[in-house]
Amino acid sequence: MDTLDGTEWDVVISGTGLPQSLLALSLSRSGKKIIHVDQNNYYGGADAALSLQDAEAWVRIVNEHNDTLDQSQTSEEAGTSCNAQPAIFQNATIIKPTKEPDSAVHGAPISELGFSRAYSLALSPQLIYTRSILLPTLVSSKVYRQLEFLAVGSWWLYDSEKSNDSAATSLTKDKTSGRLKKIPGGREDVFADKSIDLKSKRNLMKFLRLAADVDAQQPVLQEWGHRAFEDFLTAQFSLSLELQSALHALTLSLQSPTITKTSYALPRITRHLSSIGVFGPGFGSVVPKWGGMAEIAQVACRAGAVGGSIYVLGKAVDDVHNKPQALSEVTKPKLTVGLQGGDTVTCEWIASSSHDIPAQFNVPADQQSSSYISRSITVASSSLSELFPLTVDGAPPPAGAVVVFPVGSIRNGTSPPVYLIIHSSDTGECPTGQCVIYATTLESGSSGFELLDLAIQKFFMTFEDRERPSTLWRLQYSQHQPRQEHESESNVDINDGVISFAESGTDLAFDDSILATVREVWTKISDGTEGFMQFEDRELGAYDDEDV
């Protein structure tokens, strides 16, 4: 297409984040005329996966954008800046160790940083539980053939006490450091764990029976739902703090157990336990190969392109307003959309995230959250193969592991939990002999980055000197945490043809409400109620790269 100026479309989609990309997939067989633009030069939005070179450019863009945003918000001539969305990311920095890796000192083989494209690092890594409705939706929409999922195996809890046992559930061999203890994944693991006394095993099994019975949870949640999870476990099950920390880890809550509500924690533990064994023994969650959720976004966009959508990267939406219509015209919304570079198109619908649409469509600043969490991505010099054991006979080789530092295990006091989601090179995110560590904590600012750094240092110290990894490369950044609303509320605003998806949260597992929101928008645009993401196979070769 030579020019976009003056063209008419049924739908303009702005941004290639996961909600917009899934919407593009859902509309790919609708016959709608769709143009899909993104202000970035890459797919995925906040869920993007970056090479090392891409990460360098991303850091510059993030920091330049924040400088511009700060200036606009303090300027008296800012106009609509009062509705400007808080930046998704800020305080981005790349850290490259200048000294020789510690592994060289201990005599282990030196692993060097590979070439840029050998890495595909996810900005917002997430687990996908096998009970998630996303997986059968990817199957019914027929895009699953372009995706590959890998198992997340063991979950580990960091114990700051010095290692003094050789139990099978403990990974650590260095007796001078803290240790990693395997979190039980079910009844068999509980009874096999020699570090849990008999009375505690009985109490823990009583809780696990409750977690497996959704009907039995209803009266419990009515009484305890608004109260702290820690109080619930203490009063109802008399569980030790160590066992409470293990259960809290399964919720993936960034809050401490004293703040995490039982109504939040209990359903998420149920999700975790009920997902184990759905697609095979020994695991309950998966990660997409080649870049996490960004891979799903890109495959969804590819399906949209095969269905006839036009894609233009590096093209932002600058302006949206209603097009005047004669009284005799149809009453469907008719919008004029100004694109970066001066092109103007018309459409009936525009669907966007709150960060990919002009500021006048955003919620007022006083209704926006100003909270940020801290994140880092570390390329480690070791494969850390001991983190990825086969959990049971017949289980697939895991490519992911989760290490959780409970409250107070890193610094004295009440510092929040730290989660390390660790991906092996089997994910395609790094070269063989290395792994990628995604670290997240609720604590923000410089103290949050310090907490993440301390967690990774303590994690490395759990390995013997000759096996101890070191940091080859690290990206640290803050990510905006949207204001938490009631789960029953809609995550999308639809007004006169303008559809604005709410900013995605910072959950460490995929939130099924995203797909429910996409279905709500699909229903509105397509006037359909049946057949959401239910597609027949295309002819062989329809997904060849040359067709995209």
Side-chain angles (χ1 to χ4, degrees):
M1 180 175 292
D2 295 332
T3 180
L4 295 174
D5 195 40
T7 55
E8 295 186 1
W9 305 86
D10 295 316
V11 185
V12 173
I13 302 177
S14 179
T16 55
L18 199 57
Q20 299 102 301
S21 300
L22 290 173
L23 176 62
L25 170 61
S26 70
L27 294 172
S28 62
R29 310 287 184 100
S30 66
K32 300 287 186 182
K33 188 178 180 183
I34 300 170
I35 181 170
H36 198 160
V37 300
D38 194 316
Q39 60 185 315
N40 301 307
N41 289 311
Y42 53 82
Y43 288 90
D47 299 297
L50 307 175
S51 68
L52 299 185
Q53 185 176 351
D54 292 337
E56 297 272 2
W58 179 82
V59 167
R60 290 193 299 270
I61 292 171
V62 165
N63 294 331
E64 289 171 0
H65 172 72
N66 285 320
D67 289 343
T68 302
L69 187 61
D70 290 341
Q71 292 173 8
S72 68
Q73 289 176 336
T74 57
S75 172
E76 293 182 355
E77 300 177 357
T80 59
S81 65
C82 60
N83 287 350
Q85 288 288 100
I88 300 178
F89 301 106
Q90 63 180 17
N91 303 323
T93 306
I94 290 176
I95 301 170
K96 301 177 183 178
T98 56
K99 65 177 182 178
E100 227 179 2
D102 293 340
S103 55
V105 177
H106 303 301
I110 300 175
S111 180
E112 297 180 347
L113 201 62
F115 63 92
S116 173
R117 293 293 172 186
Y119 300 87
S120 182
L121 308 174
L123 292 175
S124 302
Q126 290 185 314
L127 310 179
I128 304 174
Y129 277 100
T130 56
R131 290 282 184 187
S132 170
I133 60 174
L134 177 63
L135 296 176
T137 300
L138 295 174
V139 172
S140 66
S141 63
K142 303 300 187 263
V143 297
Y144 71 97
R145 295 188 180 92
Q146 288 75 53
L147 294 164
E148 184 175 350
F149 294 95
L150 302 172
V152 176
S154 299
W155 288 55
W156 306 90
L157 189 72
Y158 180 82
D159 183 355
S160 57
E161 296 294 325
K162 300 293 188 294
S163 177
N164 56 9
D165 66 58
S166 57
T169 56
S170 180
L171 177 66
T172 304
K173 300 176 183 177
D174 188 339
K175 310 299 182 184
T176 64
S177 68
R179 58 182 176 173
L180 298 181
K181 295 191 65 178
K182 188 176 179 182
I183 298 175
R187 177 186 176 93
E188 294 78 10
D189 289 345
V190 170
F191 283 107
D193 193 332
K194 297 179 180 179
S195 68
I196 307 176
D197 63 67
L198 183 58
K199 182 178 180 181
S200 296
K201 286 182 179 180
R202 289 172 177 167
N203 290 338
L204 181 55
M205 287 306 304
K206 180 181 176 183
F207 172 81
L208 294 179
R209 284 193 293 271
L210 173 65
D213 189 343
V214 176
D215 292 335
Q217 292 175 23
Q218 299 312 309
V220 172
L221 290 174
Q222 287 180 6
E223 180 180 358
W224 288 92
H226 66 288
R227 299 170 68 176
F229 188 50
E230 180 181 81
D231 295 341
F232 171 64
L233 294 178
T234 300
Q236 297 294 302
F237 302 97
S238 302
L239 294 178
S240 67
L241 288 179
E242 182 178 352
L243 289 177
Q244 289 188 30
S245 294
L247 291 173
H248 183 264
L250 302 183
T251 71
L252 294 174
S253 172
L254 298 180
Q255 302 274 8
S256 72
T258 59
I259 298 176
T260 301
K261 295 289 191 295
T262 303
S263 59
Y264 179 95
L266 187 55
R268 282 157 178 77
I269 293 176
T270 299
R271 173 184 67 180
H272 179 94
L273 297 175
S274 66
S275 294
I276 298 174
V278 171
F279 293 133
F283 71 100
S285 58
V286 296
V287 291
K289 191 173 182 179
W290 307 116
M293 307 309 285
E295 186 68 8
I296 295 179
Q298 188 157 350
V299 166
C301 289
R302 185 182 305 165
V306 171
S309 298
I310 300 298
Y311 279 79
V312 186
L313 297 181
K315 180 77 73 173
V317 171
D318 287 339
D319 179 60
V320 179
H321 59 270
N322 290 320
K323 179 183 177 183
Q325 291 179 278
L327 294 178
S328 59
E329 293 186 32
V330 295
T331 58
K332 287 186 177 180
K334 201 69 174 179
L335 304 171
T336 298
V337 178
L339 301 176
Q340 181 182 350
D343 291 331
T344 299
V345 302
T346 58
C347 63
E348 293 184 4
W349 299 94
I350 179 169
S352 172
S353 76
S354 55
H355 287 273
D356 295 290
I357 201 165
Q360 69 262 31
F361 296 101
N362 295 333
V363 297
D366 60 358
Q367 298 179 25
Q368 298 172 8
S369 165
S370 58
S371 300
Y372 282 81
I373 65 170
S374 298
R375 295 194 119 147
S376 70
I377 305 173
T378 299
V379 177
S381 63
S382 168
S383 64
L384 301 182
S385 57
E386 292 186 37
L387 282 179
F388 309 103
L390 282 176
T391 50
V392 295
D393 290 340
V402 181
V403 175
V404 184
F405 288 76
V407 171
S409 62
I410 300 175
R411 292 194 300 234
N412 292 331
T414 57
S415 57
V418 173
Y419 290 85
L420 307 183
I421 298 178
I422 303 166
H423 290 186
S424 76
S425 60
D426 290 342
T427 62
E429 296 174 17
C430 65
T432 302
Q434 299 175 13
C435 67
V436 180
I437 304 170
Y438 297 102
T440 306
T441 188
L442 186 65
E443 192 161 325
S444 60
S446 58
S447 61
F449 294 143
E450 178 188 7
L451 190 63
L452 295 182
D453 183 56
L454 287 171
I456 291 172
Q457 288 182 39
K458 288 180 178 291
F459 170 62
F460 285 169
M461 287 296 294
T462 62
F463 296 87
E464 289 184 327
D465 284 356
R466 62 185 178 82
E467 300 171 344
R468 187 167 298 153
S470 60
T471 297
L472 298 176
W473 183 95
R474 181 177 296 163
L475 168 63
Q476 64 183 32
Y477 51 97
S478 302
Q479 184 170 358
H480 184 243
Q481 186 178 41
R483 177 172 292 179
Q484 297 295 315
E485 304 292 349
H486 298 293
E487 293 187 1
S488 60
E489 293 185 3
S490 176
N491 291 318
V492 65
D493 180 65
I494 304 175
N495 186 20
D496 291 335
V498 178
I499 299 168
S500 181
F501 289 104
E503 181 181 347
S504 297
T506 52
D507 201 328
L508 298 178
F510 176 76
D511 183 354
D512 280 349
S513 69
I514 291 176
L515 200 55
T517 300
V518 171
R519 179 167 190 154
E520 179 183 349
V521 174
W522 170 83
T523 301
K524 195 74 173 179
I525 292 176
S526 66
D527 295 324
T529 56
E530 302 294 333
F532 175 69
M533 299 275 202
Q534 301 288 327
F535 301 149
E536 299 295 330
D537 282 316
R538 291 187 184 273
E539 293 182 6
L540 187 65
Y543 285 99
D544 290 345
D545 289 341
E546 58 266 24
D547 293 332
V548 179

